[in-house]
Amino acid sequence: LNDNPSRYKITLSGTVKSPKINFDPPFLMLMPVPLDMKTETAINIIPQDYLRQSRIQVELPELELEDGDRIYPFSVQFPEERNIVLSSDGTNKKLICQISFRSSRPVSFLGSMFFIDEEEN
């Protein structure tokens, strides 16, 4: 290039993939149980396109009862780990999440739990 007026054109193209997580099963229905008994199930969290490790946090729903009391009847546990890890083959390892419900008061609920990574996705 030194003092040569020739011009070079470089064209770059690429695809940006945003990290996301899928769930198996995509919907969760817990069976009705007697008061103060626990019902639980496991779901698979399937991360995609994460390029670095990220820790999953869960926002659990707060339920308001007829008398105005508020309860948190759901709990979650990650029996193995809650970090999204990039495997040596470039894929993300699935996570197992154990979701349980227990209430000493009669309650019915239809709503969402939010699973959030460190980037708040």
Side-chain angles (χ1 to χ4, degrees):
L1 296 173
N2 302 324
D3 296 328
N4 187 348
S6 299
R7 295 184 181 197
Y8 296 90
K9 181 179 179 181
I10 297 175
T11 303
L12 302 173
S13 65
T15 303
V16 176
K17 293 184 177 183
S18 296
K20 63 181 178 179
I21 54 178
N22 292 313
F23 300 92
D24 181 30
F27 300 98
L28 180 63
M29 182 184 292
L30 296 171
M31 300 306 295
V33 293
L35 293 178
D36 214 23
M37 295 292 293
K38 181 164 63 168
T39 182
E40 61 186 351
T41 192
I43 63 168
N44 291 311
I45 299 173
I46 306 161
Q48 293 179 325
D49 301 323
Y50 279 83
L51 300 177
R52 62 179 173 261
Q53 182 171 309
S54 187
R55 186 168 179 83
I56 295 291
Q57 300 295 324
V58 184
E59 287 183 6
L60 299 173
E62 175 186 56
L63 306 184
E64 184 174 350
L65 303 175
E66 290 178 1
D67 63 3
D69 285 351
R70 297 184 175 277
I71 61 170
Y72 288 91
F74 293 96
S75 63
V76 296
Q77 289 184 330
F78 290 82
E80 296 173 8
E81 63 177 298
R82 64 176 10 172
N83 292 327
I84 296 173
V85 178
L86 187 63
S87 299
S88 59
D89 64 358
T91 61
N92 298 122
K93 181 180 167 187
K94 76 176 180 180
L95 305 173
I96 298 171
C97 179
Q98 191 79 26
I99 299 174
S100 46
F101 174 90
R102 176 182 287 187
S103 176
S104 59
R105 309 265 301 271
V107 65
S108 179
F109 171 75
L110 174 63
S112 300
M113 284 183 186
F114 295 96
F115 292 78
I116 303 164
D117 66 16
E118 289 178 348
E119 301 290 323
E120 296 189 9
N121 295 310

